[in-house]
Amino acid sequence: MDYSYVVTPFIAWFIAGVSKFIINSFKAKQWAFGAIGYGGLPSNHSSIVSGMVVLIGLKEGFNSAGFGVAITLAFIVILDAHSLRREVGKQAQLINQLLAEKGDPTRLRERMGHTLVEIIAGIITGGVAAYCINYFSKISW
């Protein structure tokens, strides 16, 4: 049985998450446990869906129905990560300002979406992970 379809999204997610933690820790010059979550470089969402797109393309062909479905899903997820979630972050900023004016210490997470660079980094991360998993799954151990 070929487990690469199950393993790829988890490996892509793990690589993107560890990379994001290291990058954020380096920027902050301390362990960045508080920065774990939505947003940042590379995009976990883009990495996960791009990994599956590339894996399906490599295994089933870039003209297969599965590849078409995967790329459609990837566009939806990536557009959501870039546009919709960034707008949610902007709304959180305004709500936080209103709460602060009223003396309420409650804070919503403002960093929600991804920049284009973060998304491209996620696409590259997922694509490389899928390529490597596909390559190593063909090796007869």
Side-chain angles (χ1 to χ4, degrees):
M1 179 164 188
D2 186 358
Y3 291 104
S4 61
Y5 292 103
V6 176
V7 171
T8 298
F10 290 108
I11 297 296
W13 168 80
F14 182 77
I15 293 169
V18 169
S19 300
K20 188 183 301 192
F21 178 74
I22 291 169
I23 290 166
N24 287 333
S25 295
F26 183 73
K27 282 181 176 178
K29 297 180 181 162
Q30 63 181 1
W31 295 117
F33 292 107
I36 295 173
Y38 302 107
L41 177 96
S43 163
N44 287 68
H45 291 79
S46 300
S47 181
I48 292 166
V49 295
S50 298
M52 285 305 293
V53 166
V54 171
L55 185 70
I56 289 169
L58 291 171
K59 287 189 171 287
E60 299 176 21
F62 291 96
N63 62 347
S64 68
F67 178 76
V69 171
I71 199 113
T72 301
L73 175 64
F75 273 121
I76 292 168
V77 170
I78 291 169
L79 287 172
D80 177 65
H82 180 62
S83 327
L84 178 64
R85 289 183 34 223
R86 285 184 63 137
E87 293 301 317
V88 169
K90 290 177 186 176
Q91 290 177 355
Q93 280 180 320
L94 294 173
I95 292 170
N96 285 338
Q97 287 174 358
L98 291 172
L99 291 171
E101 289 172 8
K102 300 211 182 266
D104 189 334
T106 307
R107 299 274 306 159
L108 299 175
R109 183 184 291 256
E110 295 177 5
R111 181 76 166 102
M112 295 292 289
H114 290 285
T115 65
L116 188 57
V117 171
E118 294 167 346
I119 288 171
I120 291 169
I123 291 169
I124 292 168
T125 302
V128 169
Y131 179 83
C132 291
I133 290 167
N134 182 58
Y135 176 80
F136 287 113
S137 70
K138 292 178 180 181
I139 296 174
S140 177
W141 301 92

